[in-house]
């Protein structure tokens, strides 16, 4: 077993705090088309399978960071958070890996464009922006592979939030995780649209971290997940190369619902859906049976993301008037 501390120290150069500097960065939210669900190492966030995502370009996290001689001081969306806040506790624990001495702290000001902890991938853009801002503050000049590994130790899906567009996170096989990082995919899908349906802004009752453990160890259908992901990934790569949005949507929806099926089959069962989630899926399936070319994907939360081609934009908006549409490729 390798510790997160040892892996991080192996990557970052010796850090000399410069109190006059400020680091800043932006990282986009990413939505997985092939999901990451289940870890082979919980400390290093090493996944059981590869995953593949799309960045939301303009939606993400902006973070500014400075050194302080005192305690960490963390603001989220303009509000200074108390030290017993769950977000602060988790961020501070991660920041411990980067302090050249334990008495040094960080002043962090971070803004999320999407609700925090509601299954809208805020932790992915959050940890990616934090790592990029640290790299800027400390002038490490790390490459994207190294930054992806550091972000992954904060939150697995953050390894994919260092790029826009399509991104592939390679599970890797090494115990130290040095081969578990993301790389960008050169294919572009200019006509792909992602529609966000925010059905609830509440923090999810069970974090993805605990949800994954409950599924992997909960006597569930989980053993079927790995071979299924391998098959979905290979079919998705073919569909991406062919720019086939209908296939991309269909494979992504099947993958997301298969992930939720493994959670439902755990003991105790895990369900992130709300009644509104089911109602939305039923509206979508009914509309699709009447010709709407639109598919859904869902993460560890009740909110739904739609995948469709630009020419369906008016029809999707007519069906889901509250949808917020993103153009991932500008
Ligand atoms: O990186 P985490 O621990 O927030 O887990 C993300 C899990 C999913 O969002 C459900 C899937 C994914 O690949 O993003």
């Amino acid at each position: 077993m390798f510790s997160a501390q040892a892996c991080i120290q192996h990557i970052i150069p010796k850090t000399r705090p410069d109190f006059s500097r400020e680091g800043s960065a932006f990282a986009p939210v990413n939505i997985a088309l092939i999901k990451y669900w289940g870890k082979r190492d919980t400390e290093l966030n090493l996944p059981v399978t590869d995953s593949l995502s799309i960045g939301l370009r303009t939606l993400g996290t902006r973070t500014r960071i400075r050194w302080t001689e005192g305690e960490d001081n963390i603001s989220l969306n303009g509000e200074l958070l108390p030290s017993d806040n769950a977000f602060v506790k988790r961020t501070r624990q991660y920041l411990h890996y980067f302090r050249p001495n334990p008495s040094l702290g960080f002043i962090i000001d971070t803004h999320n464009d999407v609700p925090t902890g509601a299954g809208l991938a805020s932790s992915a853009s959050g940890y990616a922006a934090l790592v990029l801002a640290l790299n800027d503050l400390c002038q490490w000049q790390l490459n994207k592979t190294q930054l992806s590994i550091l972000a992954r130790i904060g939150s697995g899906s953050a390894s994919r939030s260092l790029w826009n567009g399509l991104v592939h996170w390679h599970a890797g096989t090494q115990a130290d995780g040095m081969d578990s990082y993301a790389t960008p995919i050169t294919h572009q899908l200019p006509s792909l649209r992602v529609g966000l349906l925010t059905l609830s802004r509440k923090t999810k009752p069970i974090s993805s971290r605990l949800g994954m453990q409950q599924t992997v160890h909960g006597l569930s259908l989980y053993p079927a997940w790995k071979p299924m992901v391998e098959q979905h990934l290979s079919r998705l790569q073919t569909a991406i190369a062919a720019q086939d949005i209908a296939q991309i949507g269909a494979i992504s929806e099947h993958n997301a619902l298969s992930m939720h099926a493994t959670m439902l089959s755990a003991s105790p069962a895990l369900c992130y859906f709300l009644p509104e989630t089911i109602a939305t899926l039923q509206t979508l399936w009914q509309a699709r049976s009447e010709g709407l070319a639109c598919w859904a994907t869902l993460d560890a939360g009740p909110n739904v993301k739609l995948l469709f081609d630009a020419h369906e934009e008016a029809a999707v908006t007519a069906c889901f008037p509250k949808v917020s549409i993103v153009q991932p490729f500008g």
Side-chain angles (χ1 to χ4, degrees):
M1 274 280 284
F2 289 83
S3 72
Q5 181 78 54
C7 292
I8 289 176
Q9 289 313 313
H10 179 74
I11 292 174
I12 61 173
K14 199 168 161 46
T15 306
R16 280 189 197 80
D18 176 349
F19 288 85
S20 65
R21 262 190 83 77
E22 177 178 284
S24 66
F26 170 82
V29 159
N30 77 75
I31 303 295
L33 305 180
I34 300 294
K35 307 292 184 191
Y36 145 59
W37 197 252
K39 307 178 196 214
R40 63 184 166 90
D41 182 312
T42 49
E43 175 160 347
L44 300 177
N45 290 335
L46 296 177
V48 171
T49 67
D50 287 20
S51 55
L52 195 154
S53 65
I54 179 128
L56 295 191
R57 202 172 56 87
T58 50
L59 290 184
T61 305
R62 283 168 192 78
T63 295
R64 295 194 341 220
I65 184 165
R66 283 181 288 136
W67 293 102
T68 173
E69 299 276 9
E71 288 249 298
D72 295 325
N73 175 312
I74 301 177
S75 304
L76 174 63
N77 298 334
E79 189 194 333
L80 180 64
L81 298 176
S83 54
D84 61 350
N85 174 285
F87 174 86
V88 170
K89 282 192 192 158
R90 188 171 159 199
T91 309
R92 292 189 63 181
Q93 205 177 344
Y94 181 66
L95 289 170
H96 287 329
Y97 300 135
F98 299 95
R99 302 180 211 280
N101 84 58
S103 68
L104 284 179
F106 296 95
I107 299 176
I108 295 180
D109 184 17
T110 191
H111 288 257
N112 277 341
D113 295 325
V114 295
T116 307
L120 281 162
S122 59
S123 72
S125 57
Y127 278 94
L130 181 56
V131 161
L132 288 166
L134 278 164
N135 186 49
D136 185 29
L137 175 73
C138 304
Q139 296 181 281
W140 293 323
Q141 301 183 342
L142 298 178
N143 62 40
K144 288 268 189 117
T145 300
Q146 294 168 313
L147 292 167
S148 176
I149 292 174
L150 294 183
R152 186 249 295 148
I153 294 172
S155 177
S157 53
S159 64
R160 302 185 307 241
S161 264
L162 296 165
W163 298 267
N164 281 309
L166 295 160
V167 178
H168 184 162
W169 173 15
H170 309 270
T173 54
Q174 288 175 212
D176 64 1
M178 289 302 162
D179 60 350
S180 182
Y181 52 81
T183 51
I185 296 173
T186 48
H187 291 287
Q188 305 249 320
L189 301 167
S191 67
L192 179 71
R193 298 290 178 268
V194 178
L196 302 179
L197 285 170
T198 307
L199 306 173
S200 167
R201 292 177 175 267
K202 284 203 193 123
T203 304
K204 54 196 167 205
I206 298 181
S207 67
S208 337
R209 190 170 289 252
L210 292 177
M212 284 187 204
Q213 282 177 26
Q214 193 167 318
T215 317
V216 174
H217 302 296
L219 303 169
S220 67
L221 293 174
Y222 191 74
W225 175 244
K226 191 170 188 268
M228 198 181 271
V229 167
E230 281 162 11
Q231 199 210 82
H232 290 174
L233 181 62
S234 130
R235 284 175 49 216
L236 185 72
Q237 285 166 325
T238 307
I240 289 171
Q243 305 234 338
D244 185 340
I245 304 254
Q247 269 303 309
I248 293 169
I251 296 164
S252 303
E253 184 174 301
H254 186 207
N255 182 262
L257 293 175
S258 303
M259 173 184 75
H260 284 276
T262 68
M263 299 178 195
L264 279 172
S265 69
S267 177
L270 179 61
C271 180
Y272 286 104
F273 294 174
L274 288 176
E276 297 87 319
T277 314
I278 307 285
T280 302
L281 288 174
Q282 283 173 339
T283 304
L284 172 68
W285 293 332
Q286 177 63 34
R288 205 157 70 216
S289 73
E290 292 162 11
L292 184 73
C294 179
W295 293 266
T297 182
L298 304 98
D299 291 294
N303 298 311
V304 178
K305 296 106 197 180
L306 302 173
L307 303 166
F308 52 95
D309 190 278
H311 65 65
E312 292 283 359
E313 225 173 282
V316 168
T317 309
C319 192
F320 301 104
K322 291 194 175 146
V323 70
S324 157
I325 298 176
V326 180
Q327 295 189 17
F329 294 91

